[in-house]
Amino acid sequence: MTRIPDAVAVASLDTHRLIVAVPNEGPAEVSCNLPRPVAASVLRQLADGLDSPAGRCETALATGRPCPVHDAPTSPSRALLDAGAEAAPAATRGMAKAQRPASLDALLSYVAATMTHEQQATEEPPALTVNDVRDALAFNAGDRDQVLATLRDVLLDTTATRTPEQALAAARILLEAHARQIAALVEAHHRATRSRWGLTRSTRGLLTGYEGARKIVTAYAAGLADEQALAEGAANEQVEP
């Protein structure tokens, strides 16, 4: 039968500065709102307390009671103040650390690695992808100028990182959409002119010019689409094992 505890203690970062939970099975969980050097110093103080002669000094052995010197509880607030005062000088001096049990060293290493991973995860912004650009185009489909609105959104998004390849991909997608917009405008003018004036000796040259311009812009858009498709295919081949 599973053991049911009589009471459950709830701890949060609103009431605690550093919470380390080590379950019977699985990895440890760490929550902290202290600077990393301070948290590491607090953990080292706790480790030194576990290695101290608490309960084993001559007074405790002779009386059978906790020693008022070695077994006195340490104030958490005092420990945090001491940790904050000692963290910077300790990092500067590079003082030698006392050897601790291997299991405790593993726990401290895990805590440091977890805090570093969480800090990097929060600091590294997401990268700009081709899907982001295409999603922005779809979102602005109802705008008066779809490509202009999308370009505005991409330039305003300063949180996303952009490599030269990612910026080039975004430029191809936006310029292709813009070229197709221009081709559609030229086609609309061609139809409006022919509908109003008809095909005459006077309008033939103008209509031919409209048609030629539309074909040139459409070919430019198709070339950009082909280049982007080749770039995405090469990138997918590099990702696949």
Side-chain angles (χ1 to χ4, degrees), residues 69-93:
V69 176
H70 298 101
D71 298 339
T74 302
S75 171
S77 299
R78 183 61 185 174
L80 290 174
L81 292 175
D82 294 342
E86 296 177 1
T92 304
R93 293 193 304 268

Side-chain angles (χ1 to χ4, degrees), residues 128-154 169-181 228 232:
L128 178 68
T129 65
V130 293
N131 292 330
D132 295 334
V133 180
R134 292 188 176 114
D135 290 343
L137 278 171
F139 179 79
N140 294 313
D143 197 276
R144 183 180 63 85
D145 193 326
Q146 178 190 20
V147 178
L148 183 62
T150 303
L151 180 60
R152 172 203 62 198
D153 295 341
V154 171
R172 288 197 195 101
I173 295 172
L174 292 177
L175 286 177
E176 177 199 350
H178 185 54
R180 296 193 185 281
Q181 277 185 332
Q228 182 58 30
E232 292 183 20

Side-chain angles (χ1 to χ4, degrees), residues 71-224:
D71 298 339
T74 302
S75 171
S77 299
R78 183 61 185 174
L80 290 174
L81 292 175
D82 294 342
E86 296 177 1
T92 304
R93 293 193 304 268
M95 60 175 56
K97 306 297 187 303
Q99 294 185 352
R100 295 178 292 277
S103 59
L104 184 57
D105 285 336
L107 176 60
L108 293 176
S109 299
Y110 173 80
V111 171
T114 302
M115 295 175 66
T116 302
H117 177 73
E118 292 177 352
Q119 184 178 9
Q120 292 177 349
T122 56
E123 291 179 354
E124 293 181 358
L128 178 68
T129 65
V130 293
N131 292 330
D132 295 334
V133 180
R134 292 188 176 114
D135 290 343
L137 278 171
F139 179 79
N140 294 313
D143 197 276
R144 183 180 63 85
D145 193 326
Q146 178 190 20
V147 178
L148 183 62
T150 303
L151 180 60
R152 172 203 62 198
D153 295 341
V154 171
L155 293 178
L156 285 176
D157 186 10
T158 58
T159 60
T161 59
R162 297 174 178 86
T163 63
E165 292 78 10
Q166 292 166 344
L168 183 59
R172 288 197 195 101
I173 295 172
L174 292 177
L175 286 177
E176 177 199 350
H178 185 54
R180 296 193 185 281
Q181 277 185 332
I182 296 176
L185 289 175
V186 174
E187 177 64 20
H189 277 284
H190 179 277
R191 291 180 179 179
T193 302
R194 181 161 186 168
S195 176
R196 181 177 182 181
W197 303 107
L199 181 59
T200 65
R201 186 174 299 178
S202 300
T203 61
R204 185 185 301 275
L206 179 61
L207 294 175
T208 302
Y210 278 150
E211 182 65 18
R214 184 190 63 80
K215 290 181 179 180
I216 292 174
V217 177
T218 301
Y220 174 70
L224 289 174

Side-chain angles (χ1 to χ4, degrees), residues 7-16 19:
V8 177
V10 179
S12 70
L13 293 179
D14 294 333
T15 58
H16 296 71
I19 301 173

